Amino acid sequence: MVSLLIDGKKVEAESTQTILQAAQKVGIHIPTLCHDPRLAPSGACRMCVVEVEGARSLVASCATPVSEGMKVSTRSESVTRARKLNLELIWSNHPNDCLTCDKTGECQLQKFMYEYDVKASRFGEQNPPSTPDDSNPGIYRDMNKCILCGKCVRICDEVQNQHIWAFSNRGMQTSIATAFEKPLKDAGCVFCGHCVSVCPVGALMDKPAAQKGRPWETRKVRTVCSYCGVGCSLVLHVKGGEILKVTSDTHDAPNYGSLCVKGRYGFEFYKSPDRLKSPLIRDRIDQPFRKASWDETISLVARKLMEIKQKYGPDSFGCLSSSRGTNEENYLTQKFTRAVMGTNNMDNCARVCHAPSVTGLRAALGSGAATNSLADIEGAEVLIVSGSNTTEAHPVAALKITKAVRQNGAKLIVIDPREIELVQYATAWLRLKPGTNVALINGLLHVILKEGLENKEFIQQRTENIDMLRQVTAQYTPEKTEEITGVPKEDIIKAARIYAGTRKGMIVYGLGMTEHKAGSHGVMSLANLALITGNVGRPNTGINPLRGQNNVQGSCDMGALPDVYTCYQKVDDPAANKKFSDAWGRQLPAKPGLKEPQMYREALAEKLKAMYIIGYDPAVTQANINQVRSAMEKLDLLVVQELFMTETAKLAHVVLPAGCFFEKEGTFTNAERRVRRLNQAIPLPEGTKHDWEIICLIASTMGYPMHYNHPGEIMDEIASLTPEFAGINFQRLEGDGLVWPVWDKNHPGTPILHKDTFTRGKGRLNDLLYTPSEELPDSDYPLYLTTGRRLYHYNNGSMSLRNPEIRSISSEEFVEIHPREAESLGIKTGNTVRVRSRRGSLEVKAHVTTKSRPGSIFLSFHFPETPTNILTGPGEDLLALTPEYKVCAIKVEKI
């Protein structure tokens, strides 16, 4: 620590801090236009100049470190004069249109002109005005207003790693531009909005909000993004019941100001003309829908469900809830299924993504959840990213990974068949054949154990089954592993040594690990890696699934699964069954219910007669969707609760219109187990109801009273039945929320699991053999198909495709194919091709790229007009029954 005087006030500061940081620490205001705490100091704007005793001239406080005995004046006459002169110089080349500028009220230049009483400039305008660029759907550019602070350039370089902006020309002709003045869409921009968020003036603004309201006219509502499991904090700017724009506060976890294109510009779907605004009913699916009142619809659903239950029994009913729904909604859904319908046939759309995480992590560690916080990524020394195209599927988490590598010197190991963006930052890229994850991890384990790199003390004290693991992995020599996976043995050895050589090794994985026949085994094998190296239970370590949808963690935590109540209390455990039966006033079934794929099989066999599906579109997102649709068509009753007329809703007998997350109160739980509050920003559209209200209405009409005044009361009930949530209520969730388990009202939460012991006691090292995928390429279907997500879209596209800004950037699907296959088939980028599997075919445009592995193609599933899941199947995870989306055999034909 050093001691200095600032404006006569004694200040203690770290020797690494700047004068600006030291002043801010004690509440002394120094104006800045180019400073941002996330960026390296640049000293470009010169507004932060201060006088330091003994210095030859004024110094930029943002770039000058403190020193012992330093005496600083921030308001001397020379400082004030310099700042005024600087403002005049900036203003001389700035349009005087504050009366009509959307930035008025937030403009930092305007604020400082007022603060320093600068009313005009003595200097004439030097450059002819340029024409504002409003061609981009999301970002409005008016370079006449640019003050050359460089914050947009620096945040794009240092935080987003995209390098879109740069200084162009010199002298008075200097400007900020893209390479060769390209439009943003063609310059590689990912439309994260970082540049807009840091612009201190009106040079860069959110186009959707233009001319719709001044900053002081909007109400700021804090909520949580619903586009992926990162669960970013959002600030909604609302005026007159309309959301004008979305921003994020740099102080709010877990994103600290960063957003992706969907979080920032994917909000306008709520006002789409396609929104469902009235209940729809019909007797048969070959009839047209008719609008109905809520009273008639609720009565109809209740009556038909009771009839089916009485005639065919409770297990003739199945329910699917949504990982897009709140914790409270998922809790009520499973309560309805068990207490009202009397069955455990309860599942949610985590079944098609991260159900193997729950299964695999519970088997290895005792808890099916991430072990560490997302913030821990930045401090890891070695990162394994396995089966996660993080920059597209979880962009804000990817920023933490790239920061760890670029700024903190971490080593990155990427395990992925595709050349994802993170490969450019990798120390080792293990480009395995699709479906060979378990063999590859066994190969890494073999090297670690053979070379004695394991953490012997940790293994002895905190794990079990090491001898069996040694026997199994002994078979997976680097040579054999290379034969199975296609990864060179040298890379396998290199990666194993890197990961085993640190005490701060963290594993991050995605659906490329889980959506396989051996998905649960793949998760267990990653847990083996963490356990034998002792990289668990401490900061910057652990094993952390990146959840696909925003509340995958929460929907599973809330018991929306066929075998557990909240936080994985087993339905067949007598104590848990009695506790919930007593609380809910009904004897609950103890036999675990059907998983989602089993429900479809039972429907095809005409044993499952009714389904209630909330916020989930399996007719698009499940594998082998022709079979799924056939199953739905056999149901006596299909009730779908939705925002839009999805492909699943089109097969329903009853469609119930619900609210979106902007219109809700409740909570989400993100990938790091952080429980956060949603705050309602806009009213429900007329004719719709909250999801939780609809569930309560149906239950009450069926003779089981469910009455809550607010979702906070539902959370109180959850806390009363769930030890891990005992300390959670809506009041405590204000701000950044809490990371469960939260054992009581004074408990701060648990960012790191398994510090001293595992939930199951000792961590289990599972001995796993490589299991080939269900369907491999052959002479008839010679290529692999792998599916996944793209940056601009989400899930079935029902939300993302209804945002004009996003749709204008990405409006159709394309198939990625390697140049080797493209050349042999005579295919060029832009050609329309037919992709065929044993289950169906579709036509799509081709994109020739080395991003796909030779022998493989890649498709996303976001576009209803390109129903990728006609092709996928038939493999399922051996334990969780998650579809094997990442491997099936196809052929491609040029049309």
Side-chain angles (χ1 to χ4, degrees):
M1 298 290 287
V2 300
S3 180
L4 68 157
L5 290 177
I6 304 180
D7 293 341
K9 187 174 184 177
K10 185 176 180 180
V11 179
E12 299 289 330
E14 300 285 345
S15 59
T16 55
Q17 290 184 309
T18 62
I19 295 172
L20 176 63
Q21 290 172 320
Q24 290 173 336
K25 180 180 177 181
V26 295
I28 295 174
H29 170 65
I30 297 176
T32 68
L33 287 170
C34 71
H35 176 72
D36 188 290
R38 294 168 291 177
L39 306 177
S42 72
C45 73
R46 313 308 292 178
M47 279 301 297
C48 72
V49 292
V50 295
E51 190 172 357
V52 176
E53 187 176 278
R56 294 192 306 172
S57 60
L58 301 180
V59 301
S61 63
C62 73
T64 304
V66 297
S67 61
E68 181 65 36
M70 179 182 277
K71 295 181 180 179
V72 179
S73 175
T74 71
R75 291 283 175 177
S76 68
E77 182 179 346
S78 60
V79 167
T80 300
R81 186 168 57 250
R83 291 176 183 165
K84 284 187 172 186
L85 177 62
N86 199 29
L87 286 169
E88 284 192 62
L89 289 167
I90 293 172
W91 187 249
S92 71
N93 206 33
H94 196 86
N96 187 6
D97 64 347
C98 295
L99 294 176
T100 57
C101 180
D102 277 293
K103 197 77 173 186
T104 292
E106 291 179 326
C107 176
Q108 292 300 300
L109 177 60
Q110 184 185 68
K111 174 186 174 183
F112 293 144
M113 294 284 285
Y114 177 83
E115 183 178 329
Y116 285 89
D117 193 29
V118 178
K119 295 183 173 65
S121 174
R122 291 168 287 172
F123 309 101
E125 183 175 323
Q126 302 296 316
N127 291 327
S130 58
T131 303
D133 177 9
D134 65 352
S135 61
N136 183 269
I139 299 173
Y140 175 84
R141 293 196 289 167
D142 186 353
M143 291 297 106
N144 297 308
K145 297 178 181 178
C146 178
I147 61 171
L148 300 177
C149 68
K151 287 168 78 173
C152 57
V153 178
R154 289 153 58 215
I155 202 161
C156 193
D157 289 351
E158 297 175 30
V159 175
Q160 193 63 37
N161 310 314
Q162 290 301 126
H163 316 291
I164 303 304
W165 300 109
F167 286 95
S168 178
N169 299 316
R170 293 186 178 186
M172 294 304 295
Q173 279 69 49
T174 303
S175 65
I176 305 291
T178 61
F180 306 106
E181 299 284 352
K182 288 181 180 179
L184 286 174
K185 183 179 176 181
D186 300 328
C189 180
V190 294
F191 301 97
C192 62
H194 262 135
C195 56
V196 179
S197 71
V198 297
C199 182
V201 291
L204 297 170
M205 292 187 287
D206 291 307
K207 187 176 177 181
Q211 300 294 309
K212 290 186 178 179
R214 302 289 195 156
W216 60 85
E217 296 177 309
T218 63
R219 182 169 52 94
K220 314 301 189 293
V221 181
R222 191 180 184 192
T223 192
V224 184
C225 184
S226 72
Y227 275 113
C228 82
V230 174
C232 291
S233 291
L234 305 181
V235 178
L236 309 179
H237 298 247
V238 182
K239 177 186 176 185
E242 181 182 2
I243 300 170
L244 303 188
K245 66 178 179 178
V246 177
T247 61
S248 183
D249 195 300
T250 56
H251 301 290
D252 292 348
N255 50 313
Y256 299 102
S258 295
L259 292 174
C260 76
V261 60
K262 296 184 291 292
R264 191 170 185 98
Y265 296 113
F267 65 89
E268 292 192 271
F269 69 88
Y270 79 91
K271 58 184 178 181
S272 166
D274 298 337
R275 278 291 294 271
L276 295 168
K277 294 183 180 178
S278 171
L280 303 172
I281 61 176
R282 60 185 174 184
D283 293 326
R284 301 193 316 271
I285 62 171
D286 59 350
Q287 294 177 338
F289 284 110
R290 68 175 178 87
K291 292 183 179 180
S293 68
W294 275 103
D295 287 343
E296 179 188 3
T297 305
I298 296 295
S299 296
L300 173 69
V301 172
R303 176 174 54 82
K304 288 196 170 187
L305 286 177
M306 287 190 291
E307 289 174 354
I308 289 170
K309 179 182 176 181
Q310 290 167 3
K311 185 174 181 181
Y312 300 105
D315 291 336
S316 64
F317 170 81
C319 186
L320 300 175
S321 68
S322 176
S323 295
R324 285 184 280 178
T326 65
N327 288 324
E328 294 74 18
E329 291 158 359
N330 277 282
Y331 171 80
L332 288 189
T333 304
Q334 59 99 20
K335 180 178 179 179
F336 171 84
T337 302
R338 293 177 164 120
V340 181
M341 295 304 297
T343 180
N344 283 316
N345 292 345
M346 175 73 238
D347 213 344
N348 79 88
C349 51
R351 182 63 52 197
V352 299
C353 59
H354 271 287
S357 290
V358 176
T359 304
L361 292 178
R362 279 168 64 187
L365 312 177
S367 173
T371 62
N372 289 64
S373 69
L374 292 167
D376 270 3
I377 292 173
E378 295 180 12
E381 293 176 348
V382 175
L383 285 159
I384 292 179
V385 176
S386 183
S388 170
N389 184 10
T390 323
T391 53
E392 295 198 63
H394 302 88
V396 174
L399 298 182
K400 299 178 185 297
I401 294 170
T402 55
K403 181 178 180 180
V405 176
R406 297 173 74 241
Q407 298 184 26
N408 300 337
K411 294 181 179 179
L412 174 62
I413 299 166
V414 172
I415 301 175
D416 206 293
R418 299 175 67 222
E419 190 175 359
I420 59 173
E421 187 176 326
L422 286 180
V423 168
Q424 66 182 289
Y425 304 99
T427 304
W429 174 27
L430 309 183
R431 193 176 201 179
L432 73 172
K433 295 176 185 176
T436 61
N437 297 323
V438 172
L440 178 61
I441 305 303
N442 279 348
L444 297 174
L445 292 165
H446 173 97
V447 174
I448 292 170
L449 292 169
K450 181 181 179 182
E451 297 188 1
L453 303 175
E454 73 273 22
N455 189 325
K456 298 176 180 64
E457 181 182 356
F458 187 92
I459 291 171
Q460 181 181 2
Q461 293 179 0
R462 297 197 57 189
T463 72
E464 60 187 24
N465 205 39
I466 181 62
D467 292 335
M468 285 299 296
L469 182 68
R470 287 184 187 276
Q471 289 181 34
V472 169
T473 58
Q475 306 171 42
Y476 292 87
T477 63
E479 292 77 13
K480 181 178 178 181
T481 304
E482 178 178 351
E483 181 183 335
I484 297 171
T485 66
V487 178
K489 62 181 181 180
E490 296 81 8
D491 292 342
I492 295 168
I493 295 169
K494 176 183 177 182
R497 290 171 177 170
I498 290 171
Y499 179 69
T502 181
R503 293 272 293 167
K504 289 186 176 182
M506 177 180 276
I507 298 171
V508 174
Y509 71 90
L511 302 185
M513 285 301 299
T514 61
E515 291 179 342
H516 289 280
K517 183 177 179 179
S520 295
H521 287 175
V523 174
M524 293 178 204
S525 68
L526 288 176
N528 286 342
L529 264 184
L531 289 171
I532 71 163
T533 57
N535 276 311
V536 67
R538 303 188 315 280
N540 316 118
T541 65
I543 176 169
N544 302 279
L546 289 175
R547 308 291 185 170
Q549 297 192 44
N550 56 294
N551 205 32
V552 167
Q553 184 67 58
S555 57
C556 296
D557 295 344
M558 292 299 102
L561 294 168
D563 61 337
V564 293
Y565 304 118
T566 56
C567 270
Y568 314 101
Q569 301 172 79
K570 303 286 286 184
V571 299
D572 56 3
D573 172 48
N577 185 280
K578 183 179 187 305
K579 178 172 73 170
F580 281 86
S581 295
D582 291 347
W584 293 348
R586 293 276 178 95
Q587 181 56 52
L588 302 178
K591 183 183 73 171
L594 300 173
K595 299 179 177 74
E596 181 187 350
Q598 294 169 324
M599 293 184 197
Y600 302 133
R601 291 196 271 274
E602 290 293 285
L604 286 169
E606 300 187 357
K607 293 179 181 179
L608 195 80
K609 297 293 184 179
M611 290 187 75
Y612 182 13
I613 301 177
I614 302 174
Y616 178 23
D617 190 14
V620 168
T621 60
Q622 253 289 348
N624 195 1
I625 55 177
N626 284 332
Q627 185 181 65
V628 172
R629 292 173 180 177
S630 296
M632 291 179 179
E633 289 169 356
K634 281 188 171 291
L635 295 169
D636 291 353
L637 177 65
L638 175 59
V639 180
V640 174
Q641 201 160 295
E642 259 295 357
L643 305 179
F644 305 104
M645 184 57 74
T646 62
E647 296 303 306
T648 302
K650 292 175 183 177
L651 299 171
H653 300 90
V654 179
V655 180
L656 304 171
C660 75
F661 79 106
F662 298 131
E663 300 149 2
K664 290 182 178 183
E665 298 278 341
T667 60
F668 288 151
T669 305
N670 76 345
E672 61 183 356
R673 296 173 282 110
R674 186 182 297 274
V675 184
R676 308 269 304 296
R677 277 200 63 177
L678 296 173
N679 293 295
Q680 185 173 357
I682 54 177
L684 278 170
E686 186 176 350
T688 67
K689 290 185 182 296
H690 292 299
D691 287 287
W692 66 269
E693 289 182 304
I694 300 171
I695 298 164
C696 290
L697 286 170
I698 297 172
S700 299
T701 305
M702 293 179 70
Y704 184 87
M706 271 195 196
H707 297 298
Y708 304 90
N709 296 310
H710 187 271
E713 296 178 3
I714 306 171
M715 178 54 74
D716 291 341
E717 183 176 320
I718 294 167
S720 71
L721 292 166
T722 313
E724 292 86 347
F725 276 61
I728 292 179
N729 58 42
F730 270 33
Q731 289 69 41
R732 291 198 71 199
L733 294 177
E734 294 291 347
D736 287 342
L738 292 165
V739 180
W740 71 259
V742 186
W743 299 111
D744 57 55
K745 292 297 190 292
N746 297 313
H747 194 275
T750 314
I752 301 175
L753 290 180
H754 317 305
K755 280 187 174 181
D756 302 309
T757 186
F758 291 101
T759 308
R760 68 181 305 277
K762 285 193 172 184
R764 178 171 177 79
L765 295 160
N766 290 279
D767 44 293
L768 307 161
L769 293 170
Y770 161 61
T771 303
S773 296
E774 186 74 15
E775 184 181 80
L776 295 172
D778 55 24
S779 58
D780 293 327
Y781 295 90
L783 301 176
Y784 287 98
L785 167 65
T786 293
T787 70
R789 289 169 64 171
R790 300 197 191 278
L791 171 65
Y792 295 102
H793 292 289
Y794 172 72
N795 205 259
N796 65 344
S798 64
M799 297 194 314
S800 57
L801 283 168
R802 287 180 168 89
N803 294 288
E805 294 77 25
I806 291 178
R807 181 113 200 185
S808 69
I809 299 168
S810 174
S811 60
E812 63 179 347
E813 179 56 12
F814 55 90
V815 58
E816 294 177 7
I817 184 168
H818 192 272
R820 189 184 73 182
E821 279 72 44
E823 183 178 1
S824 68
L825 295 168
I827 294 170
K828 295 182 179 179
T829 294
N831 290 162
T832 299
V833 300
R834 182 176 292 109
V835 183
R836 190 187 300 276
S837 76
R838 289 180 172 86
R839 288 152 297 280
S841 68
L842 54 82
E843 295 181 3
V844 63
K845 287 184 179 178
H847 178 63
V848 180
T849 172
T850 57
K851 192 173 183 178
S852 279
R853 193 181 193 280
S856 300
I857 69 164
F858 177 85
L859 284 165
S860 79
F861 55 94
H862 305 304
F863 297 87
E865 58 270 24
T866 310
T868 297
N869 284 316
I870 281 177
L871 307 171
T872 52
E876 290 176 346
D877 178 69
L878 296 169
L879 301 176
L881 302 190
T882 295
E884 192 168 30
Y885 294 105
K886 302 306 180 191
V887 181
C888 78
I890 57 93
K891 60 182 175 182
V892 177
E893 305 161 340
K894 183 179 178 182
I895 297 177

